[in-house]
Amino acid sequence: MKKLLMLFVLAAMLVGVSSCSLHSPMTANLNQNSTNVVLQDNNYKIVEKVRGEAQADYFFYFGGFRKKGLIEEARAEMLANANLVGSSKAVINETVETSATTFAGIYSYVKVTVSGYVVEFTE
């Protein structure tokens, strides 16, 4: 009987703390690269907006990458889409957005999107 009661209390707690949807955009510049670019002169143009995405599924809070790993995976995809190698381009105004959906504490889906603008230097 005690085990059944404990199972019921645990299930009620999981349902109580889960939510239908969470969305927490992070608009700070989280770029950890050591390259600094000064964009005060008229020596650049904005070429395009690039983005990368990563997602993970969790069952009972197990599975997939942690949030930091998802951000790194999405950033790597964004930089690959930017095609920076061999050119005088850089990514600026990097934005990280995170959304999560949880169903009764059993299943969670987390999606991270990293986006930024590619600038090309003209001089």
Side-chain angles (χ1 to χ4, degrees):
M1 184 68 179
K2 283 185 177 182
K3 288 182 182 180
L4 184 61
L5 181 62
M6 288 298 289
L7 183 61
F8 177 76
V9 169
L10 180 62
M13 286 175 39
L14 287 175
V15 170
V17 297
S18 66
S19 66
C20 294
S21 179
L22 299 173
H23 183 75
S24 59
M26 298 168 52
T27 57
N29 185 358
L30 300 175
N31 192 353
Q32 300 298 319
N33 296 332
S34 61
T35 304
N36 292 322
V37 179
V38 179
L39 299 175
Q40 64 187 10
D41 297 327
N42 194 12
N43 63 345
Y44 69 94
K45 62 181 178 179
I46 297 176
V47 179
E48 66 180 320
K49 183 175 183 175
V50 291
R51 63 185 289 169
E53 294 180 351
Q55 61 264 346
D57 296 310
Y58 300 93
F59 293 97
F60 293 106
Y61 303 104
F62 293 105
F65 290 123
R66 293 192 179 271
K67 186 176 177 181
K68 186 175 180 181
L70 289 173
I71 292 172
E72 290 174 5
E73 186 178 315
R75 181 177 288 128
E77 181 181 320
M78 178 197 66
L79 291 175
N81 292 337
N83 195 19
L84 302 177
V85 177
S87 64
S88 58
K89 297 178 184 177
V91 176
I92 63 167
N93 296 340
E94 186 176 299
T95 303
V96 177
E97 295 181 25
T98 305
S99 64
T101 304
T102 303
F103 298 103
I106 298 171
Y107 171 77
S108 297
Y109 173 79
V110 178
K111 180 179 176 182
V112 173
T113 304
V114 179
S115 61
Y117 292 96
V118 176
V119 295
E120 183 173 22
F121 297 97
T122 57
E123 293 178 16

